[in-house]
Amino acid sequence: MNDFLRLIINEFKDALPLAFVAVVLCALGVGVAFLIFKLKYKDTRKFPFSKVLLYLALAGYIAAVLAVTVLRSEGLKGTNLHLFRAWREAWNSFSFKNWANVLLNIAMFIPLGVLLPWISKPFRKWYASFLCALGISLAIEVFQSITGRGLFDVDDLFANTLGALFGYGLFMAVFSALEKREKKALRISAYAAIPTAIALAVSSIFLVYALRPYGNLQNAAIYKVSTKGVSFNSECELSDEGKTVPVYRAQRLNTQSCDEFGLAFLEGRTDLSALDICYYDNETYYLDHREHSLFVSHFDGSYEYSYHPDGKRQPAELDREGIEKLLADYGIFIPETALFCYEGDGWHLFESPMSDGEAVGGRLRCRYSAEGFIYTIHNGMVSFETCAEEEIISESEAFEQMKKGRFFGDVFEFISPKSVTLLSCSLEYQADTKGFYQPVYMLEVMYDGSADEMKIMIPALD
């Protein structure tokens, strides 16, 4: 919750000055109106103070929303017309950042849903509040798109309108409870059903995730890619038979165990007392702002390390024995069965496929300098254990999934190929958001006969 509050403060800190200025200007206007009212009617008891306060709140709120959305100096450019894309991205990553973005877009319009029916009776009709919220959100999205201060996003339209309806239902339920009229209980229940239904629908997402045996794959499909008019063919034989394969569990870290690893890794290399430690979702960053940076994933203990000493770094090739000796200085020991190759530009790769009977598997890439040291390590070689046996789809079924557009398709949509050729299909493992390593098919493809080969991931579990 502290992280959520911190994010809200960061999002709105730049908006507060403008909101304050708007309220001050409105307050000055109210003061002038009050003086005029006093001079004209003499009796100030009839001055609508409560109404004025509501208008002041509305002015400050609108100013804050505009500052956050259309008055910022920069933003993402483009268009998202895939409804629920942001929700699917949040689901796949199940990260605090992505869910906070969705929930903040809902929360941002809740005050509007409360203030509109409170200020004006016509907005006590649900469709009036709905259309007003939709119109304001649409105007913001169009302005962002035209000015380049943001992208036109249908998910924002949906979330904003949902938030306004949530606020509307809350206000009308309370307002109905204070009214003295017949069938009050029925009216309260009807209005309370709106925010209740929204809250239950959103909460059910997190409940479903908690009940799932495995986590989500971050690069899984977020919408169905249009493959209409694209011809697919295969240059490799694909099996029609499904099979049973193991699912592995990685050694998941928490904040404490991650700190124990991170500080031990950097001890002797930098001044730990001057280290900045940033906790972010299921990741931790260790920065000394000089030479060293370390990023650790809590999901499986994989990490990325960079060493940037003063002076030039000339990428170079080194033999396996030399690289393993340098890695041992970092406490990294490579399994004898791991495959080794030089990828070029100083990058060396160790790969140990996950299989029963092994305790460590994955990939490790490191970059070596001719000056005699390793200055970048991407260590995805992690400890694991077998936790289950699961049936998976066949290679042919995976190919059919690709033909139907059920994959992460941003690159596909950007290229818009007319033909896709499948070159190979291999079964690999990827870490999910709960620290399990799930089987996935990696389909190596070629678009429009190009020499550039790309990979498409298809989850292997049903």
Side-chain angles (χ1 to χ4, degrees), residues 307 309-310 312-319 321-327 329-330 346 348 366-376:
Y307 171 51
D310 293 334
K312 295 182 179 180
R313 294 176 297 280
Q314 181 63 41
E317 181 179 2
L318 188 63
D319 61 26
E321 182 180 356
I323 291 293
E324 287 188 350
K325 184 177 180 181
L326 291 173
L327 289 174
D329 292 338
Y330 287 96
H348 300 72
C366 60
R367 203 173 189 189
Y368 173 73
S369 171
E371 286 73 21
F373 58 87
I374 290 176
Y375 60 97
T376 305

mmCIF file of all heavy atoms in Angstrom, residues 307 309-310 312-319 321-327 329-330 346 348 366-376:
data_model
loop_
_atom_site.group_PDB
_atom_site.id
_atom_site.type_symbol
_atom_site.label_atom_id
_atom_site.label_comp_id
_atom_site.label_asym_id
_atom_site.label_seq_id
_atom_site.Cartn_x
_atom_site.Cartn_y
_atom_site.Cartn_z
ATOM 1 N N TYR A 307 29.246 -3.382 -14.918
ATOM 2 C CA TYR A 307 30.430 -2.763 -14.307
ATOM 3 C C TYR A 307 31.004 -1.786 -15.317
ATOM 4 O O TYR A 307 31.379 -2.174 -16.427
ATOM 5 C CB TYR A 307 31.446 -3.852 -13.937
ATOM 6 C CG TYR A 307 32.799 -3.340 -13.495
ATOM 7 C CD1 TYR A 307 32.907 -2.366 -12.508
ATOM 8 C CD2 TYR A 307 33.974 -3.857 -14.052
ATOM 9 C CE1 TYR A 307 34.150 -1.905 -12.095
ATOM 10 C CE2 TYR A 307 35.217 -3.413 -13.645
ATOM 11 C CZ TYR A 307 35.294 -2.440 -12.670
ATOM 12 O OH TYR A 307 36.533 -1.979 -12.257
ATOM 13 N N PRO A 309 33.796 0.818 -15.295
ATOM 14 C CA PRO A 309 34.935 1.572 -14.755
ATOM 15 C C PRO A 309 35.347 2.695 -15.697
ATOM 16 O O PRO A 309 34.955 2.720 -16.877
ATOM 17 C CB PRO A 309 36.027 0.508 -14.658
ATOM 18 C CG PRO A 309 35.695 -0.457 -15.765
ATOM 19 C CD PRO A 309 34.191 -0.487 -15.834
ATOM 20 N N ASP A 310 36.114 3.628 -15.193
ATOM 21 C CA ASP A 310 36.643 4.692 -16.052
ATOM 22 C C ASP A 310 37.549 4.095 -17.111
ATOM 23 O O ASP A 310 38.259 3.112 -16.886
ATOM 24 C CB ASP A 310 37.424 5.711 -15.215
ATOM 25 C CG ASP A 310 36.520 6.475 -14.261
ATOM 26 O OD1 ASP A 310 35.319 6.590 -14.558
ATOM 27 O OD2 ASP A 310 37.006 6.937 -13.208
ATOM 28 N N LYS A 312 38.248 3.058 -21.467
ATOM 29 C CA LYS A 312 37.574 2.381 -22.561
ATOM 30 C C LYS A 312 37.407 0.892 -22.270
ATOM 31 O O LYS A 312 38.166 0.290 -21.525
ATOM 32 C CB LYS A 312 38.368 2.567 -23.858
ATOM 33 C CG LYS A 312 38.432 4.012 -24.336
ATOM 34 C CD LYS A 312 39.194 4.117 -25.638
ATOM 35 C CE LYS A 312 39.226 5.558 -26.131
ATOM 36 N NZ LYS A 312 39.971 5.687 -27.412
ATOM 37 N N ARG A 313 36.371 0.328 -22.878
ATOM 38 C CA ARG A 313 36.148 -1.107 -22.813
ATOM 39 C C ARG A 313 36.083 -1.620 -24.243
ATOM 40 O O ARG A 313 35.208 -1.235 -25.009
ATOM 41 C CB ARG A 313 34.845 -1.420 -22.065
ATOM 42 C CG ARG A 313 34.895 -1.036 -20.602
ATOM 43 C CD ARG A 313 33.559 -1.272 -19.914
ATOM 44 N NE ARG A 313 32.497 -0.444 -20.479
ATOM 45 C CZ ARG A 313 32.319 0.852 -20.171
ATOM 46 N NH1 ARG A 313 33.145 1.436 -19.326
ATOM 47 N NH2 ARG A 313 31.343 1.532 -20.708
ATOM 48 N N GLN A 314 37.007 -2.483 -24.578
ATOM 49 C CA GLN A 314 37.085 -3.017 -25.934
ATOM 50 C C GLN A 314 36.581 -4.455 -25.935
ATOM 51 O O GLN A 314 37.236 -5.352 -25.398
ATOM 52 C CB GLN A 314 38.529 -2.979 -26.441
ATOM 53 C CG GLN A 314 38.704 -3.485 -27.863
ATOM 54 C CD GLN A 314 37.964 -2.642 -28.887
ATOM 55 O OE1 GLN A 314 37.952 -1.418 -28.789
ATOM 56 N NE2 GLN A 314 37.327 -3.289 -29.852
ATOM 57 N N PRO A 315 35.374 -4.726 -26.466
ATOM 58 C CA PRO A 315 34.849 -6.096 -26.463
ATOM 59 C C PRO A 315 35.818 -7.059 -27.139
ATOM 60 O O PRO A 315 36.432 -6.731 -28.172
ATOM 61 C CB PRO A 315 33.548 -5.975 -27.258
ATOM 62 C CG PRO A 315 33.171 -4.526 -27.164
ATOM 63 C CD PRO A 315 34.468 -3.782 -27.124
ATOM 64 N N ALA A 316 35.950 -8.244 -26.535
ATOM 65 C CA ALA A 316 36.897 -9.218 -27.068
ATOM 66 C C ALA A 316 36.413 -10.628 -26.775
ATOM 67 O O ALA A 316 35.517 -10.851 -25.963
ATOM 68 C CB ALA A 316 38.281 -8.992 -26.467
ATOM 69 N N GLU A 317 37.050 -11.608 -27.441
ATOM 70 C CA GLU A 317 36.708 -13.014 -27.260
ATOM 71 C C GLU A 317 37.705 -13.670 -26.323
ATOM 72 O O GLU A 317 38.897 -13.351 -26.311
ATOM 73 C CB GLU A 317 36.710 -13.732 -28.611
ATOM 74 C CG GLU A 317 36.338 -15.192 -28.520
ATOM 75 C CD GLU A 317 36.321 -15.883 -29.870
ATOM 76 O OE1 GLU A 317 36.637 -15.213 -30.882
ATOM 77 O OE2 GLU A 317 35.988 -17.103 -29.922
ATOM 78 N N LEU A 318 37.210 -14.609 -25.512
ATOM 79 C CA LEU A 318 38.052 -15.369 -24.589
ATOM 80 C C LEU A 318 37.562 -16.817 -24.597
ATOM 81 O O LEU A 318 36.381 -17.083 -24.837
ATOM 82 C CB LEU A 318 37.974 -14.780 -23.181
ATOM 83 C CG LEU A 318 38.946 -15.328 -22.129
ATOM 84 C CD1 LEU A 318 40.398 -15.031 -22.523
ATOM 85 C CD2 LEU A 318 38.648 -14.730 -20.758
ATOM 86 N N ASP A 319 38.466 -17.753 -24.304
ATOM 87 C CA ASP A 319 38.060 -19.155 -24.303
ATOM 88 C C ASP A 319 37.210 -19.484 -23.085
ATOM 89 O O ASP A 319 37.107 -18.703 -22.141
ATOM 90 C CB ASP A 319 39.276 -20.079 -24.382
ATOM 91 C CG ASP A 319 40.230 -19.903 -23.203
ATOM 92 O OD1 ASP A 319 39.788 -19.470 -22.114
ATOM 93 O OD2 ASP A 319 41.433 -20.190 -23.359
ATOM 94 N N GLU A 321 37.532 -21.627 -20.632
ATOM 95 C CA GLU A 321 38.233 -21.726 -19.345
ATOM 96 C C GLU A 321 38.470 -20.345 -18.748
ATOM 97 O O GLU A 321 38.289 -20.129 -17.547
ATOM 98 C CB GLU A 321 39.557 -22.468 -19.531
ATOM 99 C CG GLU A 321 40.325 -22.661 -18.232
ATOM 100 C CD GLU A 321 41.641 -23.408 -18.445
ATOM 101 O OE1 GLU A 321 41.913 -23.841 -19.588
ATOM 102 O OE2 GLU A 321 42.397 -23.538 -17.467
ATOM 103 N N GLY A 322 38.865 -19.396 -19.586
ATOM 104 C CA GLY A 322 39.130 -18.042 -19.099
ATOM 105 C C GLY A 322 37.870 -17.351 -18.600
ATOM 106 O O GLY A 322 37.879 -16.686 -17.554
ATOM 107 N N ILE A 323 36.768 -17.507 -19.334
ATOM 108 C CA ILE A 323 35.499 -16.898 -18.919
ATOM 109 C C ILE A 323 35.008 -17.516 -17.615
ATOM 110 O O ILE A 323 34.558 -16.808 -16.698
ATOM 111 C CB ILE A 323 34.437 -17.059 -20.024
ATOM 112 C CG1 ILE A 323 34.793 -16.196 -21.247
ATOM 113 C CG2 ILE A 323 33.048 -16.670 -19.505
ATOM 114 C CD1 ILE A 323 34.732 -14.704 -21.014
ATOM 115 N N GLU A 324 35.089 -18.846 -17.503
ATOM 116 C CA GLU A 324 34.630 -19.515 -16.283
ATOM 117 C C GLU A 324 35.451 -19.068 -15.076
ATOM 118 O O GLU A 324 34.900 -18.916 -13.972
ATOM 119 C CB GLU A 324 34.700 -21.034 -16.451
ATOM 120 C CG GLU A 324 33.627 -21.597 -17.366
ATOM 121 C CD GLU A 324 33.595 -23.114 -17.350
ATOM 122 O OE1 GLU A 324 34.530 -23.732 -16.780
ATOM 123 O OE2 GLU A 324 32.643 -23.694 -17.891
ATOM 124 N N LYS A 325 36.735 -18.844 -15.269
ATOM 125 C CA LYS A 325 37.593 -18.389 -14.165
ATOM 126 C C LYS A 325 37.186 -16.993 -13.709
ATOM 127 O O LYS A 325 37.113 -16.714 -12.499
ATOM 128 C CB LYS A 325 39.053 -18.393 -14.606
ATOM 129 C CG LYS A 325 40.029 -18.024 -13.486
ATOM 130 C CD LYS A 325 41.466 -18.122 -13.963
ATOM 131 C CE LYS A 325 42.423 -17.745 -12.831
ATOM 132 N NZ LYS A 325 43.843 -17.822 -13.281
ATOM 133 N N LEU A 326 36.880 -16.104 -14.636
ATOM 134 C CA LEU A 326 36.438 -14.758 -14.275
ATOM 135 C C LEU A 326 35.066 -14.779 -13.608
ATOM 136 O O LEU A 326 34.802 -14.036 -12.665
ATOM 137 C CB LEU A 326 36.405 -13.865 -15.520
ATOM 138 C CG LEU A 326 37.758 -13.511 -16.142
ATOM 139 C CD1 LEU A 326 37.565 -12.763 -17.449
ATOM 140 C CD2 LEU A 326 38.591 -12.676 -15.176
ATOM 141 N N LEU A 327 34.173 -15.642 -14.098
ATOM 142 C CA LEU A 327 32.848 -15.754 -13.487
ATOM 143 C C LEU A 327 32.926 -16.311 -12.071
ATOM 144 O O LEU A 327 32.126 -15.946 -11.201
ATOM 145 C CB LEU A 327 31.948 -16.643 -14.346
ATOM 146 C CG LEU A 327 31.481 -16.053 -15.688
ATOM 147 C CD1 LEU A 327 30.713 -17.093 -16.489
ATOM 148 C CD2 LEU A 327 30.601 -14.819 -15.467
ATOM 149 N N ASP A 329 35.028 -15.603 -9.891
ATOM 150 C CA ASP A 329 35.304 -14.474 -8.981
ATOM 151 C C ASP A 329 34.015 -13.796 -8.524
ATOM 152 O O ASP A 329 34.000 -13.106 -7.507
ATOM 153 C CB ASP A 329 36.203 -13.449 -9.683
ATOM 154 C CG ASP A 329 37.605 -13.985 -9.943
ATOM 155 O OD1 ASP A 329 38.007 -14.939 -9.238
ATOM 156 O OD2 ASP A 329 38.285 -13.471 -10.851
ATOM 157 N N TYR A 330 32.939 -13.983 -9.295
ATOM 158 C CA TYR A 330 31.633 -13.440 -8.921
ATOM 159 C C TYR A 330 30.780 -14.488 -8.197
ATOM 160 O O TYR A 330 29.598 -14.250 -7.947
ATOM 161 C CB TYR A 330 30.886 -12.974 -10.172
ATOM 162 C CG TYR A 330 31.439 -11.706 -10.785
ATOM 163 C CD1 TYR A 330 32.338 -11.755 -11.851
ATOM 164 C CD2 TYR A 330 31.055 -10.457 -10.306
ATOM 165 C CE1 TYR A 330 32.828 -10.594 -12.429
ATOM 166 C CE2 TYR A 330 31.535 -9.291 -10.875
ATOM 167 C CZ TYR A 330 32.431 -9.367 -11.930
ATOM 168 O OH TYR A 330 32.921 -8.212 -12.484
ATOM 169 N N GLY A 346 32.049 -9.356 -27.978
ATOM 170 C CA GLY A 346 32.386 -9.552 -26.570
ATOM 171 C C GLY A 346 31.429 -10.431 -25.804
ATOM 172 O O GLY A 346 31.682 -10.759 -24.643
ATOM 173 N N HIS A 348 29.597 -13.754 -24.609
ATOM 174 C CA HIS A 348 29.819 -15.184 -24.481
ATOM 175 C C HIS A 348 28.568 -15.813 -23.857
ATOM 176 O O HIS A 348 28.000 -15.251 -22.919
ATOM 177 C CB HIS A 348 31.042 -15.473 -23.609
ATOM 178 C CG HIS A 348 32.312 -14.897 -24.150
ATOM 179 N ND1 HIS A 348 32.582 -13.534 -24.137
ATOM 180 C CD2 HIS A 348 33.389 -15.493 -24.734
ATOM 181 C CE1 HIS A 348 33.775 -13.320 -24.680
ATOM 182 N NE2 HIS A 348 34.289 -14.483 -25.049
ATOM 183 N N CYS A 366 27.536 -13.107 -20.878
ATOM 184 C CA CYS A 366 28.437 -12.123 -20.274
ATOM 185 C C CYS A 366 29.289 -11.477 -21.361
ATOM 186 O O CYS A 366 29.523 -12.065 -22.417
ATOM 187 C CB CYS A 366 29.316 -12.764 -19.197
ATOM 188 S SG CYS A 366 30.371 -14.087 -19.804
ATOM 189 N N ARG A 367 29.726 -10.273 -21.068
ATOM 190 C CA ARG A 367 30.502 -9.513 -22.055
ATOM 191 C C ARG A 367 31.903 -9.260 -21.516
ATOM 192 O O ARG A 367 32.076 -8.703 -20.420
ATOM 193 C CB ARG A 367 29.806 -8.195 -22.377
ATOM 194 C CG ARG A 367 30.184 -7.618 -23.727
ATOM 195 C CD ARG A 367 29.340 -6.416 -24.067
ATOM 196 N NE ARG A 367 29.555 -6.001 -25.441
ATOM 197 C CZ ARG A 367 29.072 -4.879 -25.965
ATOM 198 N NH1 ARG A 367 28.333 -4.061 -25.206
ATOM 199 N NH2 ARG A 367 29.313 -4.563 -27.220
ATOM 200 N N TYR A 368 32.884 -9.641 -22.291
ATOM 201 C CA TYR A 368 34.285 -9.577 -21.868
ATOM 202 C C TYR A 368 35.000 -8.431 -22.575
ATOM 203 O O TYR A 368 34.757 -8.143 -23.751
ATOM 204 C CB TYR A 368 34.973 -10.906 -22.189
ATOM 205 C CG TYR A 368 36.457 -10.918 -21.957
ATOM 206 C CD1 TYR A 368 36.989 -10.931 -20.664
ATOM 207 C CD2 TYR A 368 37.349 -10.906 -23.029
ATOM 208 C CE1 TYR A 368 38.358 -10.938 -20.445
ATOM 209 C CE2 TYR A 368 38.714 -10.914 -22.831
ATOM 210 C CZ TYR A 368 39.212 -10.926 -21.541
ATOM 211 O OH TYR A 368 40.572 -10.923 -21.334
ATOM 212 N N SER A 369 35.897 -7.768 -21.838
ATOM 213 C CA SER A 369 36.693 -6.670 -22.388
ATOM 214 C C SER A 369 38.139 -7.119 -22.575
ATOM 215 O O SER A 369 38.667 -7.902 -21.773
ATOM 216 C CB SER A 369 36.657 -5.466 -21.442
ATOM 217 O OG SER A 369 37.580 -4.473 -21.854
ATOM 218 N N ALA A 370 38.779 -6.611 -23.619
ATOM 219 C CA ALA A 370 40.187 -6.935 -23.880
ATOM 220 C C ALA A 370 41.085 -6.476 -22.748
ATOM 221 O O ALA A 370 42.235 -6.930 -22.631
ATOM 222 C CB ALA A 370 40.619 -6.286 -25.198
ATOM 223 N N GLU A 371 40.584 -5.576 -21.890
ATOM 224 C CA GLU A 371 41.363 -5.115 -20.737
ATOM 225 C C GLU A 371 41.430 -6.175 -19.631
ATOM 226 O O GLU A 371 42.103 -5.973 -18.618
ATOM 227 C CB GLU A 371 40.772 -3.824 -20.181
ATOM 228 C CG GLU A 371 41.050 -2.585 -21.029
ATOM 229 C CD GLU A 371 40.238 -2.540 -22.308
ATOM 230 O OE1 GLU A 371 39.195 -3.228 -22.368
ATOM 231 O OE2 GLU A 371 40.643 -1.843 -23.260
ATOM 232 N N GLY A 372 40.710 -7.297 -19.807
ATOM 233 C CA GLY A 372 40.864 -8.420 -18.898
ATOM 234 C C GLY A 372 39.773 -8.598 -17.869
ATOM 235 O O GLY A 372 39.981 -9.289 -16.869
ATOM 236 N N PHE A 373 38.604 -8.029 -18.087
ATOM 237 C CA PHE A 373 37.527 -8.188 -17.103
ATOM 238 C C PHE A 373 36.179 -8.339 -17.813
ATOM 239 O O PHE A 373 36.020 -7.970 -18.972
ATOM 240 C CB PHE A 373 37.485 -7.007 -16.135
ATOM 241 C CG PHE A 373 37.299 -5.665 -16.802
ATOM 242 C CD1 PHE A 373 36.023 -5.188 -17.079
ATOM 243 C CD2 PHE A 373 38.395 -4.889 -17.180
ATOM 244 C CE1 PHE A 373 35.837 -3.968 -17.694
ATOM 245 C CE2 PHE A 373 38.217 -3.664 -17.804
ATOM 246 C CZ PHE A 373 36.938 -3.196 -18.067
ATOM 247 N N ILE A 374 35.223 -8.906 -17.072
ATOM 248 C CA ILE A 374 33.837 -9.002 -17.542
ATOM 249 C C ILE A 374 33.084 -7.782 -17.039
ATOM 250 O O ILE A 374 33.120 -7.471 -15.853
ATOM 251 C CB ILE A 374 33.178 -10.296 -17.021
ATOM 252 C CG1 ILE A 374 33.788 -11.516 -17.715
ATOM 253 C CG2 ILE A 374 31.667 -10.265 -17.250
ATOM 254 C CD1 ILE A 374 33.281 -12.838 -17.194
ATOM 255 N N TYR A 375 32.393 -7.085 -17.932
ATOM 256 C CA TYR A 375 31.717 -5.860 -17.502
ATOM 257 C C TYR A 375 30.195 -5.916 -17.617
ATOM 258 O O TYR A 375 29.509 -4.983 -17.212
ATOM 259 C CB TYR A 375 32.262 -4.633 -18.242
ATOM 260 C CG TYR A 375 32.141 -4.624 -19.741
ATOM 261 C CD1 TYR A 375 31.082 -3.968 -20.366
ATOM 262 C CD2 TYR A 375 33.096 -5.243 -20.541
ATOM 263 C CE1 TYR A 375 30.987 -3.930 -21.739
ATOM 264 C CE2 TYR A 375 33.010 -5.211 -21.923
ATOM 265 C CZ TYR A 375 31.955 -4.554 -22.518
ATOM 266 O OH TYR A 375 31.863 -4.518 -23.893
ATOM 267 N N THR A 376 29.657 -7.002 -18.127
ATOM 268 C CA THR A 376 28.202 -7.185 -18.137
ATOM 269 C C THR A 376 27.891 -8.669 -17.956
ATOM 270 O O THR A 376 28.499 -9.517 -18.608
ATOM 271 C CB THR A 376 27.566 -6.695 -19.446
ATOM 272 O OG1 THR A 376 27.923 -5.337 -19.687
ATOM 273 C CG2 THR A 376 26.046 -6.786 -19.368
#
